[in-house]
C-alpha cells in the first residue's frame, strides 16, 4: 500500500487533476491519496475571512471568484454530465455553508481562531470531494473523524495513540483508492475542527502512512525533488537523487520548502521511505529519502539551504558568566510568548548567548527578554537586549561531513575569499549541519560561492569583467570564446564574461554576455561610464568568483584596483601602471590580495606571454635568491633595430613597428625607454628589491627635443636621425655586432641603455620583436637561466592574460 499526497498546484488546474488521475490509476496496489486545497485556496480563504471580520463586503466577490473557479474545474475534469451535476451540487452545498459562516463573521466583525480553523477546512474538503469523483472506484474519507488533536499552547498537537487506532478502524478493510482531505483534523475533547498548520497535508500523509504501515510515502508537488540549492539563485542547482531522513530534515528546517518538516518524524521511526515527485513531470525519478546513507556522491555536502528572514538577538553581560539558569530563562521566556528559535550560538566564556528568530518575532523578543532580565539590567550585570535585522541564515547539510576534517575550514575559507563576514555560526555534534548568519545583501554571493566551492555545480565558474576590448582585450574575448567548450568539457571550468568596458561605455549582465556580439552591443547599447562608475557597478553586482581583467593602459583604471581587491575581486592586469607606480602602492596592492586570499596577477606586464614573473616567483618561493637580471624587454625596439638596413632607415623602421602593432600608437612611449624602465622596475620588485622608477639610470639614445610637441611634429622631425642611426648600423655590422636596448639589474641597481653585443652573446640572435631575459641567482650563477620568445603582439599578450585567469580558476 502506498500513500500519495497531492497538493497546491498539483491539484490547481484541470490539467494537473487529470495528471493525478493518470498517476493513480497506473498503480496496481491500494492507494491512499491525501489532497490539499485546490491551487492555494487556503491563503485566499484566510484573506477573505480577514476582510469579512473588518466589515468589508468585498469578501463576497472574492468568494464568488473561488466558487466560479471550482465549478470550471468540475466541468473540465468530469466528462459525465449527470456526475458533474451531482458533484456540483455537493460542492455548492459546502460553499453555501462557508458563505453562511463568513456572513456571520461579517455581521459581528469578529474572527475567532475556532471559526478561522473551520473556514480554512473547506478548501481541502471541497478539493477532495472533486478528486474522489474523478478517480475510478475512489472512496472519500473525512479526516476529522480519525485525526485527533489536543491543544498545547496555541497549537494543535496530534494525539498519536488515539489517531492511529481510529485510522486502523476507518481503513479496515482497505479500499482500492482512498481520498482523504489533508491539513484538517478535530479536537479529541469536543470534536471541533482544528488543523495541523501550514504544510499540514504532508503531515496528514505521514500520519496515515505510519498508522497503516505503508510501503512508501510519495509527496507529489510542482518540483522534481530536493535541489542542491535554490534554483532561483543558482542556475546550476540540480536535483538530489538520495537523502537520509536527517539530511532532509536539516534542509527543510532551513528553508527548503519541498516538504513540511514534521512530515519526516512519523515515517522515520518506521523506516518508511519518502519519495518526492513532480505531478507535471511524472517520469522524473525525484528524490528518495530513507535511513540509508549514500556515500557515492562527488561532494561531502548534499545541499545548501537558507532563510532570508533572520534577526539575531543577543543577550550579553559579564553577570552571565558562571550563573546557572540564564539560558533556561531566555528560552522559557521565548517559549511562553510563542517565539520560535531556529539557531543558537554561545561563546564558551558564557558572557553572551545569540540566537536567531524571524524578523516578525524580533521586537517582541527584545521586549519580553528586557522584562525578564530587568533586575540584572538595572544592576549592570546584563546589557540591554540587542536585535540585529537584515540578515540571512545559511546551512550546509550532509551526513558525509561526519568525521571529515576540513569541511568547516573550506566553508569559511570560501566565504572569506568571497569577502563575506560570518556574524554567528553553529554546528551540532552530529556534524550533519553547519549553520551561519551573514548580511542579507551577501546571500546570493554566499550561496553561489559555496555551491561552486563544494563541487555541487557542474562547472566551476569565474565571472569576468574585462576593461579594454580593443587589440589585446578583443583577442582575449576571441580566445575565451574558442576555448570555452574545451574548458567546460575537460576542466569543468566555465568562464562567464559578465562585463565589458571601453573608455566611454560599459555593458554588464549577471547572466553573462554573448561573446560573439558583446563588443558591438557595448558600442550600441552600453551605458555611459567612467572608471569610478565601472567600479561602483561591479561592486553593486556583488557576484561570486569575480575577476577584473584590465587590458587598458589607463592610470584611472589602475586606480580602482585597490577598491576591487578590498572587495575580494581578483585582478588580472596587462596594464603596467599599477605594478610600476610608487613602491608603497605596489606593496599595498600585493598585501591586500594576500590578506583577502585572492589574486593580483600581472604576468603580461613584462614579456607579454612569456612566463617570466611566475618563474621568478617559483625560484624565490623555493628558497633561491635573485642576484641580477639582464634583458631585452622592448619587443618594439628590438623589431626596430632588427629591421634597420641600408634600404630601411630608422624613421621607416619605427613606422613599420607601429603598423605591425609592436609599437604603441604613439611610438615615443617606446623610444623614450620609459616603458622598459617600468618593466625593469616591476622585475626588480618581484625579485625582492625596493626600486622606484626614478632610481633607474637611463642612457637616452634619442635627444629630448624629439619627444616635445605633437605626434605629427615627431614624425616630421625623426627623419633627422636617419643618418646617425645608419652610421651606427654600418659600424656594428662591420664589427659583426648588433644593437640592443638592454635593461639591467644587479642587486637592486638598475639601468637601461643601448648596447652593442657580439655574436657570442645570447642577445645577438634575438629575432623580430622577441624578448629575452637572463636571470642570475645563487643557484643559477655561473650559467644564468634564460627565457626567450615573443615579447610583443596582441595574441601572445592576450594568451598571457588568459593564462593568469586560468591560474585563478585552479585555486581551490
Amino acid at each position: 500500500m502506498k500513500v500519495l499526497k497531492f497538493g497546491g498546484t498539483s491539484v490547481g488546474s484541470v490539467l494537473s487533476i487529470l495528471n493525478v488521475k493518470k498517476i493513480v490509476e497506473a498503480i496496481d496496489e491500494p492507494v491512499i491519496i491525501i489532497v490539499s486545497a485546490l491551487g492555494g485556496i487556503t491563503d485566499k480563504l484566510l484573506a477573505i475571512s480577514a476582510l469579512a471580520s473588518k466589515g468589508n463586503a468585498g469578501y463576497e466577490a472574492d468568494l464568488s471568484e473561488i466558487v466560479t473557479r471550482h465549478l470550471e474545474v468540475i466541468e473540465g475534469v468530469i466528462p459525465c454530465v449527470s456526475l458533474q451535476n451531482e458533484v456540483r451540487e455537493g460542492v455548492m452545498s459546502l460553499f453555501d455553508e462557508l458563505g453562511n459562516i463568513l456572513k456571520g463573521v461579517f455581521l459581528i466583525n469578529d474572527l475567532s481562531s475556532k471559526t478561522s480553523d473551520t473556514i480554512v477546512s473547506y478548501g481541502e474538503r471541497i478539493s477532495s470531494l472533486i478528486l474522489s469523483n474523478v478517480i475510478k472506484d475512489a472512496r472519500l474519507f473525512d479526516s476529522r473523524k480519525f485525526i485527533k488533536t489536543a491543544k498545547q499552547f496555541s497549537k494543535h498537537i496530534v494525539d498519536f495513540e488515539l489517531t492511529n487506532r481510529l485510522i486502523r478502524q476507518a481503513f479496515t478493510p482497505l479500499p482500492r483508492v482512498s481520498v482523504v482531505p489533508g491539513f484538517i483534523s478535530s479536537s479529541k475533547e469536543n470534536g471541533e475542527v482544528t488543523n495541523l498548520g501550514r504544510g499540514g497535508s504532508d503531515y496528514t500523509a505521514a500520519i496515515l502512512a505510519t498508522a497503516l504501515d505503508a510501503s512508501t510515502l510519495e509527496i507529489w508537488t510542482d518540483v522534481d525533488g530536493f535541489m542542491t540549492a535554490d534554483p532561483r539563485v543558482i542556475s546550476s542547482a540540480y536535483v538530489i537523487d538520495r537523502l537520509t531522513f536527517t539530511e532532509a530534515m536539516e534542509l527543510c528546517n532551513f528553508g527548503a520548502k519541498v516538504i513540511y518538516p514534521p512530515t519526516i518524524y512519523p515515517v522515520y521511526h518506521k523506516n518508511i521511505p519518502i519519495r518526492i515527485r513532480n505531478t507535471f513531470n511524472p517520469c522524473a525519478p525525484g528524490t528518495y529519502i530513507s535511513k540509508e546513507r549514500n556515500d557515492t556522491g562527488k561532494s561531502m555536502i548534499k545541499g545548501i539551504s537558507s532563510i532570508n528572514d533572520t534577526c539575531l538577538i543577543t543577550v550579553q553581560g559579564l553577570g552571565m558568566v558562571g550563573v546557572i539558569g540564564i539560558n533556561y530563562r531566555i528560552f522559557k521566556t521565548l517559549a511562553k510568548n510563542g517565539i520560535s528559535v531556529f539557531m543558537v550560538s554561545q561563546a564558551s566564556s558564557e558572557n553572551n548567548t545569540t540566537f536567531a528568530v524571524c524578523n516578525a518575532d524580533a521586537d517582541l523578543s527584545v521586549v519580553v527578554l528586557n522584562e525578564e532580565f530587568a533586575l540584572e539590567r538595572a544592576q549592570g550585570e546584563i546589557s540591554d537586549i540587542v536585535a540585529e535585522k537584515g540578515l540571512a541564515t545559511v546551512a550546509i547539510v550532509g551526513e558525509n561531513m561526519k568525521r571529515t576534517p576540513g569541511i568547516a575550514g573550506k566553508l569559511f575559507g570560501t566565504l572569506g575569499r568571497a569577502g563575506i563576514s560570518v556574524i554567528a555560526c553553529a554546528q551540532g555534534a552530529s556534524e550533519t549541519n553547519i549553520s551561519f548568519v551573514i548580511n542579507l545583501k551577501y546571500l546570493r554571493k554566499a550561496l553561489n560561492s559555496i555551491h561552486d566551492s563544494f563541487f555541487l555545480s557542474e562547472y566551476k565558474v569565474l565571472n569576468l569583467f574585462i576593461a579594454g576590448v580593443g587589440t589585446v582585450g578583443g583577442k582575449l574575448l576571441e580566445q575565451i570564446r574558442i576555448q570555452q567548450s574545451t574548458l567546460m568539457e575537460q576542466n569543468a571550468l566555465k568562464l562567464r564574461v559578465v562585463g565589458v568596458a571601453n573608455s566611454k561605455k560599459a555593458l554588464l549582465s549577471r547572466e553573462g554576455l554573448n561573446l560573439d556580439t558583446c563588443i558591438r552591443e557595448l558600442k550600441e547599447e552600453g551605458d555611459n561610464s567612467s572608471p569610478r562608475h565601472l567600479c561602483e557597478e561591479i561592486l553593486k553586482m556583488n557576484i561570486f568568483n569575480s575577476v577584473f581583467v584590465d587590458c587598458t593602459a589607463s592610470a584611472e583604471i589602475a586606480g580602482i584596483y585597490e577598491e576591487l581587491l578590498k572587495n575580494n575581486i581578483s585582478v588580472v592586469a596587462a596594464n603596467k601602471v599599477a605594478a610600476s607606480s610608487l613602491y608603497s602602492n605596489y606593496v599595498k596592492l600585493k598585501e591586500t590580495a594576500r590578506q583577502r586570499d585572492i589574486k593580483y596577477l600581472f604576468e603580461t606586464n613584462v614579456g607579454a606571454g612569456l612566463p617570466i614573473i611566475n618563474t621568478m616567483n617559483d625560484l624565490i618561493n623555493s628558497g633561491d635568491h635573485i642576484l641580477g637580471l639582464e634583458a631585452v624587454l622592448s619587443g618594439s625596439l628590438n623589431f626596430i633595430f632588427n629591421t634597420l638596413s641600408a634600404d630601411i632607415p630608422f624613421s621607416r623602421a619605427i613606422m613599420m613597428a607601429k603598423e605591425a602593432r609592436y609599437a604603441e600608437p604613439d611610438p615615443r612611449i617606446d623610444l623614450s625607454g620609459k616603458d622598459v624602465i617600468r618593466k625593469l622596475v616591476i622585475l626588480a620588485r618581484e625579485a625582492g628589491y625596493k626600486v622606484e622608477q626614478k632610481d633607474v639610470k637611463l642612457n637616452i639614445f634619442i635627444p629630448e627635443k624629439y619627444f616635445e610637441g605633437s605626434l605629427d611634429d615627431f614624425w616630421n622631425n625623426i627623419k633627422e636621425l636617419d643618418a646617425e642611426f645608419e652610421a651606427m648600423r654600418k659600424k656594428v655590422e662591420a664589427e659583426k655586432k648588433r644593437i640592443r636596448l638592454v635593461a639591467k639589474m644587479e642587486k637592486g641597481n638598475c639601468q637601461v641603455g643601448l648596447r652593442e653585443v657580439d655574436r657570442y652573446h645570447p642577445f645577438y640572435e634575438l629575432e623580430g620583436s622577441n624578448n629575452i631575459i637572463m636571470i642570475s641567482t645563487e643557484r643559477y650563477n655561473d650559467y644564468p637561466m634564460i627565457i626567450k620568445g615573443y615579447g610583443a603582439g596582441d595574441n601572445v599578450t592576450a594568451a598571457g592574460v588568459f593564462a593568469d585567469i586560468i591560474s585563478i580558476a585552479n585555486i581551490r
Side-chain angles (χ1 to χ4, degrees):
M1 184 269 292
K2 286 184 176 182
V3 175
L4 281 64
K5 178 262 177 177
F6 294 92
T9 54
S10 296
V11 286
S13 66
V14 171
L15 175 62
S16 58
I17 291 175
L18 293 176
N19 280 346
V20 172
K21 171 180 166 67
K22 189 182 299 183
I23 290 165
V24 172
E25 293 182 351
I27 298 173
D28 58 0
E29 59 180 308
V31 176
I32 297 177
I33 302 169
I34 311 300
V35 186
S36 287
L38 189 152
I41 296 301
T42 301
D43 287 337
K44 293 180 180 178
L45 290 177
L46 285 170
I48 288 171
S49 57
L51 276 178
S53 69
K54 295 174 183 176
N56 188 331
Y59 82 89
E60 294 179 323
D62 291 345
L63 180 60
S64 178
E65 283 184 19
I66 293 176
V67 173
T68 301
R69 181 179 173 191
H70 281 75
L71 295 179
E72 289 172 351
V73 168
I74 292 169
E75 187 176 340
V77 298
I78 300 176
C80 176
V81 175
S82 60
L83 184 57
Q84 268 187 31
N85 292 333
E86 183 181 332
V87 175
R88 187 183 292 111
E89 184 179 336
V91 167
M92 287 308 301
S93 174
L94 290 172
F95 272 122
D96 288 342
E97 290 177 17
L98 177 59
N100 289 331
I101 296 171
L102 286 168
K103 187 171 184 179
V105 171
F106 171 75
L107 291 173
I108 65 173
N109 289 352
D110 183 65
L111 179 65
S112 66
S113 58
K114 171 185 169 182
T115 306
S116 179
D117 287 346
T118 302
I119 289 171
V120 295
S121 72
Y122 279 89
E124 275 71 18
R125 291 170 62 191
I126 293 168
S127 295
S128 56
L129 174 60
I130 295 172
L131 192 62
S132 66
N133 284 279
V134 172
I135 298 172
K136 184 180 178 182
D137 300 328
R139 178 181 166 190
L140 178 62
F141 287 80
D142 185 349
S143 52
R144 294 173 297 176
K145 293 181 178 180
F146 46 78
I147 297 185
K148 297 295 181 177
T149 62
K151 192 155 187 178
Q152 190 176 98
F153 297 109
S154 60
K155 294 185 178 180
H156 303 291
I157 306 301
V158 175
D159 182 330
F160 277 98
E161 185 178 349
L162 175 59
T163 295
N164 288 342
R165 178 160 45 85
L166 292 174
I167 288 173
R168 293 187 190 105
Q169 291 174 4
F171 289 87
T172 303
L174 187 65
R176 163 75 182 82
V177 179
S178 307
V179 177
V180 179
F183 176 66
I184 58 178
S185 50
S186 64
S187 168
K188 72 174 186 178
E189 285 89 9
N190 52 30
E192 292 177 350
V193 176
T194 60
N195 64 64
L196 303 180
R198 184 169 292 276
S201 292
D202 290 352
Y203 198 23
T204 303
I207 292 168
L208 268 80
T210 304
L212 298 172
D213 294 318
S215 61
T216 308
L217 167 59
E218 294 186 358
I219 306 291
W220 288 81
T221 180
D222 56 357
V223 295
D224 285 342
F226 276 89
M227 307 287 285
T228 52
D230 187 343
R232 294 168 300 180
V233 177
I234 301 174
S235 59
S236 58
Y238 55 88
V239 176
I240 306 169
D241 56 351
R242 296 182 74 92
L243 287 170
T244 65
F245 287 120
T246 302
E247 289 169 337
M249 176 63 71
E250 295 284 6
L251 288 170
C252 288
N253 281 331
F254 276 88
K257 304 185 187 303
V258 179
I259 57 175
Y260 182 50
T263 304
I264 297 170
Y265 294 125
V267 294
Y268 167 77
H269 290 294
K270 284 203 170 182
N271 197 22
I272 297 171
I274 303 172
R275 188 176 287 280
I276 311 299
R277 304 289 296 275
N278 189 344
T279 310
F280 302 99
N281 186 19
C283 295
T287 298
Y288 185 79
I289 305 168
S290 67
K291 280 188 176 179
E292 289 72 37
R293 283 176 58 178
N294 176 24
D295 297 327
T296 59
K298 62 182 180 179
S299 174
M300 289 292 102
I301 70 172
K302 282 292 184 69
I304 312 164
S305 198
S306 63
I307 302 171
N308 58 13
D309 178 20
T310 298
C311 174
L312 280 184
I313 310 291
T314 299
V315 181
Q316 62 183 347
L318 294 178
M320 296 172 61
V321 178
V323 178
I324 297 172
I326 293 289
N327 283 343
Y328 166 74
R329 290 172 62 190
I330 292 172
F331 297 113
K332 179 193 72 173
T333 301
L334 295 171
K336 279 173 58 179
N337 288 276
I339 297 168
S340 176
V341 173
F342 54 83
M343 195 190 96
V344 180
S345 178
Q346 182 177 28
S348 59
S349 63
E350 300 183 11
N351 72 349
N352 71 74
T353 296
T354 297
F355 54 89
V357 299
C358 64
N359 285 304
D361 291 332
D363 294 339
L364 178 59
S365 300
V366 171
V367 170
V368 297
L369 289 173
N370 274 330
E371 291 174 356
E372 174 67 24
F373 293 101
L375 178 60
E376 289 85 353
R377 288 169 50 237
Q379 294 173 344
E381 295 176 354
I382 291 180
S383 305
D384 288 346
I385 312 303
V386 177
E388 186 177 358
K389 298 181 180 179
L391 307 175
T393 305
V394 180
I396 63 169
V397 172
E399 292 217 55
N400 290 343
M401 295 195 300
K402 288 181 179 178
R403 308 293 182 265
T404 303
I407 297 293
K410 184 173 183 178
L411 169 65
F412 295 120
T414 297
L415 294 170
R417 283 194 298 275
I420 300 169
S421 176
V422 174
I423 300 168
C425 63
Q427 179 181 19
S430 67
E431 298 186 71
T432 57
N433 176 322
I434 301 176
S435 308
F436 57 93
V437 177
I438 59 174
N439 192 303
L440 178 60
K441 70 179 181 179
Y442 293 121
L443 178 59
R444 175 187 287 270
K445 190 176 185 181
L447 294 177
N448 276 281
S449 298
I450 297 166
H451 203 267
D452 183 76
S453 178
F454 281 90
F455 305 107
L456 292 175
S457 299
E458 184 178 2
Y459 305 109
K460 292 181 282 188
V461 178
L462 279 190
N463 292 295
L464 309 180
F465 297 91
I466 301 177
V469 291
T471 52
V472 174
K475 293 292 184 183
L476 175 62
L477 287 168
E478 179 67 11
Q479 290 175 11
I480 293 173
R481 185 188 65 77
I482 293 171
Q483 194 66 9
Q484 184 74 281
S485 59
T486 301
L487 289 172
M488 292 168 70
E489 291 170 11
Q490 298 182 3
N491 302 86
L493 171 64
K494 185 174 183 177
L495 299 180
R496 182 163 55 203
V497 178
V498 294
V500 291
N502 57 27
S503 60
K504 296 179 180 178
K505 290 188 174 184
L507 182 68
L508 306 171
S509 170
R510 180 179 289 276
E511 289 71 34
L513 299 171
N514 184 332
L515 299 187
D516 289 317
T517 60
C518 64
I519 294 179
R520 175 176 55 78
E521 290 170 354
L522 171 65
K523 295 174 182 176
E524 296 174 357
E525 304 169 18
D527 296 325
N528 293 333
S529 185
S530 65
R532 176 50 44 195
H533 178 262
L534 176 63
C535 180
E536 290 170 355
E537 291 300 309
I538 291 172
L539 298 183
K540 196 182 298 181
M541 288 177 74
N542 200 25
I543 300 182
F544 79 109
N545 286 0
S546 293
V547 181
F548 181 75
V549 183
D550 182 6
C551 296
T552 74
S554 166
E556 286 184 281
I557 291 291
I560 68 174
Y561 291 178
E562 183 180 356
E563 190 164 354
L564 294 172
L565 292 168
K566 283 181 176 178
N567 284 275
N568 290 75
I569 297 173
S570 292
V571 173
V572 172
N575 186 346
K576 293 182 279 290
V577 171
S580 63
S581 63
L582 290 175
Y583 183 79
S584 58
N585 186 57
Y586 160 84
V587 170
K588 186 190 298 181
L589 295 177
K590 298 264 288 187
E591 187 65 17
T592 301
R594 187 189 66 78
Q595 289 174 352
R596 297 284 178 170
D597 198 16
I598 53 174
K599 292 296 176 181
Y600 168 41
L601 302 177
F602 43 88
E603 177 66 73
T604 54
N605 279 194
V606 182
L610 294 178
I612 297 172
I613 292 175
N614 282 336
T615 301
M616 290 171 59
N617 287 332
D618 289 342
L619 289 170
I620 293 168
N621 292 336
S622 66
D624 205 350
H625 294 88
I626 296 175
L627 305 175
L629 304 167
E630 200 167 351
V632 174
L633 299 174
S634 174
S636 55
L637 288 175
N638 198 53
F639 176 86
I640 290 168
F641 290 124
N642 281 335
T643 304
L644 283 177
S645 69
D647 299 320
I648 303 175
F650 183 58
S651 58
R652 176 59 187 148
I654 297 171
M655 179 58 73
M656 291 172 67
K658 176 178 174 293
E659 291 169 348
R661 292 187 175 177
Y662 293 136
E664 298 288 342
D666 184 348
R668 291 177 295 183
I669 296 172
D670 300 289
L671 295 169
S672 67
K674 290 179 181 177
D675 190 56
V676 175
I677 288 174
R678 289 190 296 181
K679 293 177 181 179
L680 182 58
V681 165
I682 293 169
L683 292 179
R685 289 172 176 178
E686 290 295 289
Y689 298 97
K690 183 177 179 180
V691 176
E692 302 283 7
Q693 289 191 42
K694 63 183 177 59
D695 298 329
V696 180
K697 182 181 178 182
L698 174 62
N699 298 312
I700 194 166
F701 59 93
I702 293 180
E704 190 66 38
K705 68 176 185 177
Y706 292 96
F707 300 107
E708 298 170 354
S710 67
L711 184 57
D712 287 338
D713 293 335
F714 168 79
W715 286 116
N716 291 330
N717 298 331
I718 195 63
K719 296 175 183 178
E720 297 171 2
L721 296 179
D722 285 351
E724 180 180 334
F725 276 90
E726 173 59 13
M728 184 188 302
R729 184 195 68 78
K730 287 181 177 179
K731 174 180 176 295
V732 295
E733 185 177 64
E735 296 173 356
K736 296 185 178 178
K737 294 180 180 179
R738 289 181 178 168
I739 304 168
R740 300 288 180 248
L741 182 69
V742 177
K744 184 176 181 180
M745 187 279 292
E746 190 171 355
K747 294 183 179 179
N749 296 312
C750 300
Q751 60 179 335
V752 174
L754 288 184
R755 186 190 303 180
E756 298 174 4
V757 296
D758 62 30
R759 58 183 176 173
Y760 301 106
H761 196 285
F763 295 175
Y764 183 83
E765 295 291 349
L766 198 61
E767 300 295 331
S769 63
N770 286 2
N771 281 190
I772 187 170
I773 181 170
M774 297 194 302
I775 306 172
S776 298
T777 73
E778 290 180 350
R779 295 175 187 159
Y780 294 86
N781 200 346
D782 295 333
Y783 298 96
M785 177 183 289
I786 296 177
I787 301 171
K788 177 181 177 181
Y790 286 119
D794 306 337
N795 262 318
V796 292
T797 303
V801 172
F802 201 168
D804 274 351
I805 293 170
I806 297 297
S807 73
I808 292 175
N810 290 333
I811 297 170
R812 284 292 180 272

